[in-house]
Amino acid sequence: MSTEELTYSQALEELRAIHARLRVDDVDVDKLLDDVARASELLDFCQKRITAVGEQLEEVLGEFDRPSG
């Protein structure tokens, strides 16, 4: 699934699953590179999502700080 189709929660869940696979003693070396690449993609997606939400929050909260009228 592409990150464009994911929610933040789904991406985080997938990252946790990858992390769990990487922590086992018998890591599948053939799958390791794919997992690391996917984790990198998911981390980038999550960071961008957090940044976007933070910017939106600042904008909304900024409206409360402005004097009315």
Side-chain angles (χ1 to χ4, degrees):
M1 178 180 296
S2 99
T3 55
E4 295 170 0
E5 301 169 357
L6 289 176
T7 65
Y8 180 86
S9 294
Q10 290 169 326
L12 194 55
E13 184 177 323
E14 189 175 343
L15 278 168
R16 286 183 177 136
I18 291 170
H19 181 252
R21 284 195 302 272
L22 295 177
R23 290 184 54 106
V24 297
D25 291 335
D26 59 343
V27 173
D28 181 350
V29 175
D30 296 321
K31 181 98 171 87
L32 179 63
L33 184 57
D34 291 338
D35 277 346
V36 171
R38 180 62 174 168
S40 177
E41 182 180 329
L42 291 166
L43 287 168
D44 184 57
F45 166 81
C46 288
Q47 181 61 50
K48 287 178 180 174
R49 185 70 182 126
I50 289 169
T51 299
V53 168
E55 289 170 356
Q56 290 173 340
L57 282 172
E58 285 181 21
E59 184 178 317
V60 169
L61 293 175
E63 291 176 13
F64 288 109
D65 290 340
R66 292 186 199 129
S68 60

